[in-house]
Amino acid sequence: MEILWSGALLVPVIAVCAAINHRSRDPHGIAGWLAMASLLHRYSKASETALDQDLRACRSDDPIGKLLTNVRRDAGAFGAVSNDFKGALNDKGALFASYIACRNNGLRDLFTDSQILLQKNVDRHHILPRAQFEESRRSKADTIANIAFITGEANRSVGAASPDVYLKKLKKETLVSQCIALDQSLWRIERADEFWEARRKLLAAAFNTYLRTALPGRRIVDE
């Protein structure tokens, strides 16, 4: 529950696993639905009604398809857009989706270049350091689009290094794995809004690529 914003998201997962013979289960499909339902904050409004709808879907002949239809009906489309990553750090759904997007890109630590899988010490790192913003704008740095994923040890050792300095030292593959725009002119505090806008688009694109892998044949709508 440190990464899922609502425990209700696990109820359909359990129901599908209980209703379907293990040989017929689609773990990738279940994971794809969970990722999108989390990003869109399913069950945040009229949660009992939505959960009832999804539990009925779990008992259908095509539970994944019906679950996806329920999400699509409420959201209008199935797929991430850049604005889904515009929230603050307390948006667990978007933070979870950001991690999925970066993992799908082959997530690598910014400072050790090692691959990040499911280590217990994965930490959040402000790409544009909070300390370099004027105090009146410092809270803006606490946005999903400003967060990379690194090991806790690396985070403690980095401090507030200037992004236009430390990002230039990284491999292109590492930057791509963290959905960081390669345009070096954006790696500056004074261009923070443009940097975050570019990264939101990259996060949405990588997340949708994951959905297409998890849900082959399903219609995924890009921005």
Side-chain angles (χ1 to χ4, degrees), residues 199-213:
R199 189 159 188 262
R200 287 193 293 267
K201 291 178 180 179
L202 292 172
L203 287 169
F207 184 83
N208 287 341
T209 298
Y210 161 74
L211 290 181
R212 291 188 177 91
T213 301

Side-chain angles (χ1 to χ4, degrees), residues 1 20 23 28-29 35 40 59 65 95-96 107 119 132 143 162 180 187 194 222:
M1 293 316 303
I20 301 178
R23 296 183 183 275
H28 296 292
L40 296 179
R59 296 190 290 270
L95 189 63
F96 182 39
L107 180 59
Q119 293 96 327
Q132 294 193 13
T143 180
S162 181
I180 294 174
W187 301 348
E194 296 167 90
D222 287 304

Side-chain angles (χ1 to χ4, degrees), residues 81-216:
V81 297
S82 59
N83 276 350
D84 290 328
F85 300 92
K86 203 170 185 177
L89 287 182
N90 58 359
D91 185 347
K92 281 190 173 183
L95 189 63
F96 182 39
S98 297
Y99 182 77
I100 291 172
C102 294
R103 281 282 295 114
N104 191 68
N105 274 12
L107 180 59
R108 306 192 73 83
D109 190 291
L110 290 181
F111 305 103
T112 66
D113 198 38
S114 59
Q115 190 170 15
I116 298 177
L117 297 174
L118 292 174
Q119 293 96 327
K120 291 184 179 180
N121 62 342
V122 174
D123 207 348
R124 300 176 302 189
H125 169 70
H126 288 72
I127 304 171
L128 306 183
R130 294 179 87 257
Q132 294 193 13
F133 286 83
E134 295 180 4
E135 189 170 351
S136 61
R137 298 187 67 229
R138 197 160 291 173
S139 62
K140 291 187 66 177
D142 294 327
T143 180
I144 295 294
N146 196 33
I147 296 300
F149 302 96
I150 61 177
T151 62
E153 289 81 0
N155 202 14
R156 286 190 290 271
S157 66
V158 170
S162 181
D164 59 328
V165 173
Y166 80 82
L167 290 178
K168 288 180 181 179
K169 300 177 181 179
L170 306 182
K171 297 178 181 178
K172 175 183 176 181
E173 293 78 7
T174 303
L175 295 169
V176 170
S177 80
Q178 294 272 4
C179 296
I180 294 174
L182 300 179
D183 183 353
Q184 296 185 15
S185 68
L186 298 179
W187 301 348
R188 308 182 69 86
I189 299 300
E190 57 268 26
R191 300 194 66 183
D193 290 333
E194 296 167 90
F195 173 84
W196 294 329
E197 181 181 2
R199 189 159 188 262
R200 287 193 293 267
K201 291 178 180 179
L202 292 172
L203 287 169
F207 184 83
N208 287 341
T209 298
Y210 161 74
L211 290 181
R212 291 188 177 91
T213 301
L215 301 164

